């Protein structure tokens, strides 16, 4: 039944999005589309706290469901690995929500990535997953600070908000290790029952936490680890 729901959402929303993009705004429909996809996949979301308008979200990363959930609750835009840009249909979907593609494994590209992130800051929040990949929900992976260079000069002007994604059964839905993406999608869509998720929009960073990108990263990681009651991984550059 969930596969049928996915097909119905695509057939209904994609033509609507194309029409709305021609006569109004391209960013109006994608958050609705992503939210509906999350609902079809079984997501049931509860929120705590208030998402900041604009600025930067720093969130832990468990699953592709994270993107559907944050788009629904905050109309967010995302930073994603450039590997996704190699898949035509998926890239088109990402482009419709103004995804920022970066290449994390090329050190020489950090400066250009910083400019991409800075340019993407707008009224819609921009989400970075500082772990750089998904995990199994048992501990936070080390947070990376390099992309926060984009907002370092704007500290105190642009809100920088940690966001804790707390799944009731993270280990069962997590996408990590060697599991292929489509295998995980099929596994999630074949599940019965709901996927309960609490999104905790934590207090924006302030004071000494805004001193530089490393302090921002460390404070965000600590806040999320405390909210999720998870072990705190060591910070890396």
């Amino acid at each position: 039944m969930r596969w049928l729901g996915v097909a119905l959402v695509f057939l209904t929303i994609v033509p609507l999005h194309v029409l709305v993009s021609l006569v109004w705004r391209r960013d109006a429909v994608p958050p609705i589309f992503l939210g509906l996809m999350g609902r079809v996949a079984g997501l049931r979301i509860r929120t705590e706290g208030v998402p900041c308008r604009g600025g930067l979200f720093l969130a832990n990363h468990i699953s592709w469901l994270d993107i559907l959930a944050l788009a629904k609750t905050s109309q967010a835009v995302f930073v994603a690995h450039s590997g996704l840009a190699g898949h035509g249909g998926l890239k088109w979907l990402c482009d419709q929500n103004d995804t920022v593609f970066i290449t994390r494994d090329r050190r020489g590209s950090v400066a250009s990535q910083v400019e991409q992130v800075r340019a993407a800051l707008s009224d819609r929040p921009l989400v970075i997953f500082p772990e750089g990949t998904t995990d199994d929900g048992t501990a936070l992976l080390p947070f990376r600070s390099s992309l926060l260079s984009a907002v370092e000069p704007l500290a105190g002007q642009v809100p920088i908000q940690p966001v804790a994604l707390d799944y009731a059964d993270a280990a069962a839905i997590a996408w990590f290790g060697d599991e292929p993406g489509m295998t995980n999608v099929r596994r999630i869509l074949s599940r019965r029952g709901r996927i309960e998720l609490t999104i905790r929009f934590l207090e924006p960073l302030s004071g000494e936490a805004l001193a530089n990108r490393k302090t921002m990263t460390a404070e965000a990681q600590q806040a999320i680890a405390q909210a999720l009651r998870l072990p705190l991984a060591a910070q890396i550059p």
Side-chain angles (χ1 to χ4, degrees):
M1 287 297 293
R2 284 181 175 166
W3 285 105
L4 177 59
V6 168
L8 289 174
V9 171
F10 262 99
L11 292 173
T12 303
I13 298 297
V14 170
L16 176 63
H17 165 62
V18 173
L19 178 60
V20 171
S21 298
L22 290 173
V23 301
W24 190 38
R25 294 169 46 184
R26 196 182 74 167
D27 62 355
V29 175
I32 298 172
F33 169 77
L34 294 171
L36 285 173
M37 282 298 186
R39 184 81 181 181
V40 169
L43 270 178
R44 299 298 182 268
I45 303 168
R46 184 170 68 91
T47 63
E48 297 178 1
V50 179
C52 291
R53 181 176 176 82
L56 193 69
F57 288 169
L58 305 178
N60 60 304
H61 199 15
I62 300 293
S63 166
W64 50 273
L65 294 169
D66 304 345
I67 294 169
L68 309 185
L70 286 170
K72 171 181 170 56
T73 54
S74 64
Q75 297 187 323
V77 176
F78 299 88
V79 172
H81 192 278
S82 59
L84 293 177
H87 303 276
L90 184 57
K91 182 182 186 302
W92 183 85
L93 289 172
C94 291
D95 285 344
Q96 303 317 298
N97 199 52
D98 298 326
T99 298
V100 178
F101 292 105
I102 57 123
T103 306
R104 294 191 178 99
D105 55 356
R106 291 174 54 191
R107 292 182 178 272
S109 65
V110 170
S112 63
Q113 292 170 17
V114 165
E115 290 306 313
Q116 285 179 274
V117 171
R118 195 194 304 265
L121 291 172
S122 66
D123 288 343
R124 299 174 67 188
L126 179 68
V127 179
I128 288 179
F129 297 111
E131 292 168 289
T133 187
T134 51
D135 62 69
D136 63 0
T138 60
L140 289 181
L141 298 177
F143 277 22
R144 302 173 182 272
S145 66
S146 59
L147 290 179
L148 270 71
S149 301
V151 294
E152 199 169 22
L154 303 176
Q157 303 175 41
V158 171
I160 302 172
Q161 185 173 26
V163 179
L165 303 177
D166 190 0
Y167 289 90
D169 192 3
I173 62 97
W175 175 27
F176 70 101
D178 296 327
E179 183 181 24
M182 282 308 301
T183 299
N184 182 267
V185 170
R186 286 193 293 269
R187 181 162 63 82
I188 295 299
L189 294 181
S190 298
R191 283 173 53 93
R192 295 193 176 188
R194 298 180 174 185
I195 299 173
E196 303 288 348
L197 169 62
T198 300
I199 302 179
R200 296 188 173 93
F201 295 99
L202 307 177
E203 287 297 314
L205 302 182
S206 61
E208 294 182 359
L210 297 173
N212 55 59
R213 62 184 175 85
K214 292 188 177 182
T215 59
M216 292 184 229
T217 304
E219 289 294 324
Q221 180 177 334
Q222 183 173 30
I224 292 170
Q226 290 177 348
L228 297 176
R229 301 172 298 281
L230 289 177
L232 184 63
Q235 182 189 0
I236 63 176

